[in-house]
Amino acid sequence: MSPEASTAQSLAQTAAEMLSQGQVALVIGYAPTEGKRLSPPVFVTTPEEAQRLGFDSRCFGNLSVYLWSPQVRQMGKTAVVVKGCDVRAVNVLLRENVIKREDIVLIGVRCGGVGDLPAHKCTVCDCRDPQGCDVVVGDAVDQPDGAAEGRYSAAEALEEKSLDERREFWQRQLDKCIRCYACRQVCPLCYCKRCIVEKSTPQWVETSAHPRGNLSWNVVRAFHLAGRCVGCGECERVCPMNIPLGAINQKMAKLMEDEYDFRSGMSPEEKAPFTTFSTDDTDEGIL
Amino acid sequence: MSRAMPNVPATTDDHALIPMDYTSSKMRIASIVDETSDVKTFRLTFCDEQEGEAFDYRAGQFGLYSVFGAGEATFCIASSPTRKGYMECSVKRAGKVTGELHQCNVGDIVGFRGPYGNWFPIDLMKGKNLVFVGGGIGLAPLRSLIWNCLDLRDQFGEIAIVYGARSVSDLVYKEELETWRQMEDVSTVLTVDPGGETPEWEGEVGFVPTVLEEANPSADNAIVITCGPPIMIKFVMMSLEKLGFGHEGIYTTLENRMKCGIGKCGRCNVGNLYVCKDGPVFSYSQLQELPQEF
Amino acid sequence: MPTNKLYEGVSDWLQSAVETLSAAGMTVIAPTQGEPGVVNLTRVTSAEAIAERYDNTLLPLKGQFFPITETLLEFERCEDGDVEIQTEPLPAPDEVIVLGCRPCDAAAMGTMDKVFQWDYDDVRYRARRDRATLVAFACTTPSPECFCTSVGGSPHGDEGSDVLVFGLGGDDSGGRVLLKVNTDKGRQFIDRLGDRVRPASEGVQPPSPPELARRFDTDAVKAWLDEGFDSDFWQQMALSCLGCGACSFLCPTCHCFDIVDEATWNRGQRRRNWDCCSFSLFTLHASGHNPRPEQFSRCRQRIMHKFKYFPERFGRIACVGCGRCIRACAAGRSLAEVLTEVDARQKG
């Protein structure tokens, strides 16, 4: 049996058991499908349907985005299949009290990287073995060597450029934005009920897809993820206009690591620098 | 194709296309009346006199009003087409444009484009007994029609008005309500929700559907025109059924969100209709055939 | 004037066309590759810039006529309290030749025309349409997501285009071609190309279109939709939808828009922007009431509008099977699969 088939079997077995024992009402996982570029999410509510679950290198999606969806929540206790990198997003959701640990079951899956040419995040991954899950399936996988070095390579490549070159680069990239908000909708951490771009009194961000509106939107999006983004890369993957959003996220993550020795989502108990107040804080900052 | 409408404005089939550039006409605020704590009535006159003279509309139609810089918003025309030289709209403060409108003063310039949409079936109403049932700000479109009918009083049978609001202070057009109450050929019943009355309140206390049933208007040769919050409409329809009114003789006006007002932007699409083009006025039997997405 | 509807173009016809048309003061819009793998319609002044092989442009043709954002009017508040309004002038009447859209995108303009030219005639849309000639390049290799044949189209469909070009060599359009004239505008285009094209020899026929299996039957889909509004199918099928606008914005027939004011203290613009029925705010009233409060009702609306409401209203489906929504979907959702499922439900 191929490693993929045996992982699929474990996933199906695990999910079927959870569903038949009434542990959960819903299992969200991946359904690898012949001929598709992406193994789409599948929402399994019966042990029989659990056979559809599987895992392969096309399981790009970070399924934790569904954990706070109202439709999913009303279906009952939910188990979700997560890669090690996805767990980081779950950790932030737990840290920010968006979801409760007792309301979810985490089925971790060991992942050797996604994409035909592995995605950048996979080449620098240090969490292929999912941590903090209720169950972990799949064969052991190796961590890439020297992952930490290349972690912020896209941001660093841009840092090499002059200010003018960077401005020109981002102007060109952000001009492409069509304001479909796929980046926001796919982000597990963009859970605001009403996004700031949808607030009209006052209109903080112009909604027109002109350079001014696009710059405001993309900067606001980035800032709201500063110190929170876990680098799952979903925003960049789904951008229909191929805007390299990952480079912006990397830049922020790099600053967080350099300045605060902090990487978001490494554990649910972590204290996030931007949302933690301490009276004996000696660092200079806003407060 | 779309199902036939009794009072749908002409479409491509039988008239030339109307060129549309989305430009607003300038109108000046002639007066402002504070109706309630969050509703104001604006009387507007066209800055361009010729435009004002050419302007014509029918009760039930709406327009896109704008505060330049804040944007456009849709409201019905609340004044009667029989009253020439001005137009009125009543605006509840709820969002960006309405908030800005409430900040405006007499003399300020606002934008208007319209009139759009269909209208109340006033030709069908002639010779009939009319029952107007309104709730809260929902009286605004009815007011246009009520004055329209009152100005042509001899063309209609009996006229009954049942109107209610949450509280005495939420009643709109207070002076006109008093005028209607004192008219001998109009029977006017006013009510406020339980708890909304004041010591001086002389009207009914109770929800509109209940008060309507107590008023017990005859369904014979009658047409009902109702407008109010969705929940009120739902119960008013049940009351009307009890009173023996047929669905085809009941009309209401919808307030789906709109941006263009001319059947293009897609926002007010419900089933194969556009509320802005095929409505906003619908008979209850038409509404029952639509997906319940309004 | 030649009456033959088929013309042969010599191998440098495209080069010559771009030069001739540009020299005559026309704007030539053609598919170009900006970034690796991304082809879009942009203005060209030489045929070298034109992408030779591409499935389709990333953004649909509709944007040439219904831009993603456009000014409707400008306003300025004067010190005396008056407001100056400047209505945005109509687009310049210079002729525009779109040289190389795909047949599906050209067909989609029929849907757009219905919306923008019924009852009220959208003057800016009309002006852009009137000045444009659409020269479509027939598809040789539909992508896996394409399903035009399921919605009444074809990789060689000529609806909506003024001229349809068939490549006779390996390329889509670069080498020798057959040009099929569909309209008077198309004939004028041919006339401008001079000796680079000539009436096709007797018996010459366009190549047969590539195979693209039909996946569902739109009549069956419509029949199921007629009764299916309240089906629990919608909740299931919509679960993975994230509610972004990628499918609508890339769709060549989606036409919903928003109108917004953008202003500084005393001056600003009223603009029209693409909008999308998948967004939760699309139908939200200021009162807080939302006629489509859940994502499934918005997903249902999108499908109902395209395959039931629009055909009932305007006599045609609002989908041309270009597959962009499938390629763009963040969650790997497929409209074709959904409709295949609907078709199967109808047929029991």
Side-chain angles (χ1 to χ4, degrees), chain C residues 5-293:
Chain C
K5 284 186 70 183
L6 270 181
Y7 295 81
E8 283 179 52
V10 298
S11 59
D12 70 345
W13 79 278
L14 190 59
Q15 182 80 38
S16 166
V18 177
E19 281 166 12
T20 311
L21 299 167
S22 301
M26 296 175 197
T27 301
V28 181
I29 307 281
T32 58
Q33 183 168 308
E35 296 164 18
V38 179
V39 171
N40 266 315
L41 293 171
T42 56
R43 185 169 187 176
V44 296
T45 48
S46 115
E48 279 152 36
I50 300 179
E52 284 185 7
R53 283 190 171 276
Y54 62 101
D55 291 340
N56 205 340
T57 52
L58 175 61
L59 286 168
L61 174 63
K62 72 175 178 189
Q64 301 294 325
F65 308 99
F66 169 47
I68 183 166
T69 179
E70 69 177 313
T71 308
L72 299 175
L73 58 85
E74 304 207 341
F75 51 83
E76 182 169 1
R77 291 172 184 283
C78 313
E79 280 186 12
D80 62 1
D82 199 5
V83 179
E84 295 265 350
I85 301 174
Q86 182 71 50
T87 304
E88 182 70 6
L90 290 184
D94 311 344
E95 275 191 68
V96 173
I97 312 285
V98 178
L99 202 46
C101 60
R102 287 300 181 195
C104 53
D105 275 12
M109 295 317 296
T111 296
M112 302 298 283
D113 289 348
K114 291 278 184 192
V115 177
F116 286 107
Q117 300 174 349
W118 79 284
D119 199 36
Y120 284 87
D121 190 15
D122 194 291
V123 293
R124 293 181 195 86
Y125 177 87
R126 163 79 71 180
R128 294 190 188 100
R129 281 290 274 142
D130 283 351
R131 68 180 181 173
T133 301
L134 300 183
V135 180
F137 291 172
C139 285
T140 49
T141 46
S143 81
E145 292 86 6
C146 290
F147 59 98
C148 58
T149 52
S150 302
V151 290
S154 156
H156 285 188
D158 55 16
E159 193 204 341
S161 60
D162 298 298
V163 176
L164 182 59
V165 182
F166 303 92
L168 296 178
D171 293 343
D172 288 335
S173 58
R176 280 179 51 244
V177 295
L178 268 188
L179 301 100
K180 181 162 174 259
V181 174
N182 298 325
T183 64
D184 284 343
K185 266 188 186 172
R187 191 173 302 287
Q188 286 165 19
F189 169 79
I190 293 290
D191 289 346
R192 290 203 178 95
L193 299 188
D195 65 355
R196 310 323 290 159
V197 296
R198 58 172 178 267
S201 324
E202 193 79 11
V204 169
Q205 288 298 316
S208 19
E211 285 281 316
L212 186 61
R214 271 185 80 181
R215 298 173 66 178
F216 54 86
D217 166 10
T218 50
D219 289 339
V221 166
K222 169 77 166 63
W224 190 86
L225 295 179
D226 283 343
E227 306 298 326
F229 185 85
D230 293 317
S231 168
D232 58 8
F233 168 72
W234 300 112
Q235 273 106 322
Q236 293 171 38
M237 65 75 78
L239 271 173
S240 66
C241 176
L242 295 161
C244 79
C247 51
S248 292
F249 285 8
L250 295 197
C251 174
T253 67
C254 272
H255 50 265
C256 288
F257 61 80
D258 192 11
I259 295 177
V260 298
D261 277 15
E262 289 179 348
T264 55
W265 179 245
N266 62 350
R267 64 170 66 193
Q269 296 178 324
R270 183 159 298 158
R271 304 188 70 89
R272 164 157 78 183
N273 296 329
W274 288 358
D275 206 344
C276 167
C277 63
S278 298
F279 292 157
S280 60
L281 263 66
F282 188 68
T283 51
L284 182 70
H285 294 205
S287 67
H289 171 66
N290 193 345
R292 292 190 199 104

Side-chain angles (χ1 to χ4, degrees), chain C residues 283-304:
Chain C
T283 51
L284 182 70
H285 294 205
S287 67
H289 171 66
N290 193 345
R292 292 190 199 104
E294 292 148 318
Q295 197 57 38
F296 87 82
S297 56
R298 302 190 279 270
C299 286
R300 176 177 60 196
Q301 168 66 13
R302 188 157 189 276
I303 289 175
M304 283 280 186

